[in-house]
Amino acid sequence: MADGYKKEVDHISGVETTGHEWDGLKELNNPLPKWWLYIFYATIVWAIGYWVVYPSWPLVSSYTAGVLGDSQRANALAAFEAGMAERAQIGETLVNASLEEIESTQSLLEFAMANGRAAFGDNCAACHGTGALGATGYPNLQDDNWIWGGSLEEIHQTLQYGIRSGHDEARFGEMPSFGADGMLDKEQIIQVANFVGSRAGIEPEAGIDLAAGEQVYAENCAACHGDDLKGMKEVGAPDLTANSYLYGKSIDAIRAQVTNARNGVMPAWAPRLDPATVKSLAVYVHALGGGE
């Protein structure tokens, strides 16, 4: 304290001042508690020790490795590589097992479901939705109306090679555009759309000759969809009496499809995903509740 300093006590708080004053404000002499100072000093010692023991100081092209030579990056990479090795081992077992064996073996089923769920979110949810409920033009994978069959093997086949994907093994079936290609006139399309709708539980439009529509159906549609309208999965012809329609269940939607058919495309996943992931997807999709 400077010579000549006269001790002064703040009359409000009763605490001695330090002699420093700014704009009429005087600093009180309140030293930090000793316990706080001891903790502060301990943190300094701890920091110095940490600098010595662990990697800490950056250098030009690297960093100080520390006495222990520990590296969280190296630890993370090692854990990642161990996980990948374990995944590869289980994946190899998955590839060598049949689909039925995967579903009946708890450890394989758990891995396939987890792997399939992740793969579905990354590759399939954009079209079929995160809940696999589909949308107009994209099938609902949770119902029992499967155009190409919903058994485990059939799902696996579809996933591998796709539908109208261009792959040599792809499932292929194409509905003609009866109106756009001039195969049926407008009146015939209206008649057959109303006949099909009536068999699917849709109220037909007034004044439509359903008998004429049935005749149009028999001559142009029954070869693929069957006399009973139940469809044939061998050629990818859907069941026209089902509760859901891929492109909308209404007379207008049926008329639009008959006039200018939309033949959707599903990618072939075998060239894009490894065999274990494709199998996992098949098991996961089959377990959603749809299919057979």
Side-chain angles (χ1 to χ4, degrees):
M1 192 170 292
D3 294 339
Y5 168 73
K6 182 180 179 181
K7 180 178 178 181
E8 181 182 2
V9 177
D10 179 59
H11 69 279
I12 296 176
S13 63
V15 176
E16 182 183 351
T17 68
T18 63
H20 301 153
E21 181 180 343
W22 295 269
D23 296 331
L25 299 176
K26 296 182 179 181
E27 181 183 13
L28 301 181
N29 186 16
N30 281 320
L32 293 169
K34 291 188 180 299
W35 64 265
W36 191 96
L37 287 172
Y38 294 151
I39 292 176
F40 176 65
Y41 297 148
T43 60
I44 295 175
V45 174
W46 175 269
I48 295 172
Y50 196 95
W51 293 340
V52 173
V53 174
Y54 290 99
S56 54
W57 290 100
L59 303 175
V60 176
S61 58
S62 62
Y63 53 88
T64 57
V67 173
L68 296 182
D70 184 67
S71 170
Q72 290 299 313
R73 178 181 177 84
N75 294 342
L77 287 174
F80 174 77
E81 290 170 359
M84 290 299 292
E86 182 180 0
R87 184 180 185 278
Q89 183 178 3
I90 300 176
E92 184 178 353
T93 305
L94 209 68
V95 170
N96 294 329
S98 68
L99 292 166
E100 291 73 18
E101 287 173 337
I102 294 171
E103 281 199 328
S104 61
T105 306
Q106 187 63 29
S107 60
L108 292 180
L109 179 61
E110 289 177 358
F111 177 82
M113 289 294 291
N115 193 33
R117 185 181 297 108
F120 186 91
D122 290 342
N123 301 280
C124 314
C127 293
H128 294 283
T130 54
L133 294 176
T136 301
Y138 303 101
N140 179 356
L141 303 181
Q142 292 203 33
D143 67 11
D144 56 1
N145 182 24
W146 287 64
I147 296 175
W148 294 96
S151 70
L152 190 54
E153 291 289 348
E154 287 166 335
I155 293 172
H156 187 237
Q157 169 79 7
T158 301
L159 282 166
Q160 282 183 300
Y161 307 121
I163 299 169
R164 291 179 284 272
S165 65
H167 193 284
D168 291 341
E169 300 294 328
R171 299 186 183 279
F172 186 85
E174 190 168 76
M175 176 177 172
S177 295
F178 289 98
D181 293 341
M183 301 170 68
L184 296 176
D185 60 34
K186 184 177 180 180
E187 183 64 23
Q188 289 174 312
I189 291 173
I190 293 173
Q191 290 170 345
V192 75
N194 277 270
F195 166 71
V196 170
S198 69
R199 293 292 297 273
I202 304 172
E203 183 70 26
E205 297 170 326
I208 301 298
D209 187 348
L210 294 182
E214 184 175 8
Q215 183 63 31
V216 174
Y217 176 87
E219 294 174 356
N220 297 274
C221 314
C224 292
H225 293 281
D227 295 332
D228 58 359
L229 285 76
K230 293 293 185 180
M232 288 188 283
K233 66 183 179 182
E234 293 79 10
V235 295
D239 180 357
L240 300 179
T241 67
N243 291 327
S244 61
Y245 271 43
L246 186 59
Y247 293 104
K249 191 174 182 179
S250 68
I251 298 298
D252 286 341
I254 296 171
R255 184 188 298 132
Q257 181 68 1
V258 174
T259 301
N260 192 10
R262 289 162 289 183
N263 295 292
V265 174
M266 174 180 167
W269 292 106
R272 307 182 185 201
L273 302 174
D274 61 83
T277 300
V278 175
K279 276 191 172 181
S280 297
L281 270 172
V283 171
Y284 174 74
V285 170
H286 187 251
L288 288 174
E292 303 165 9

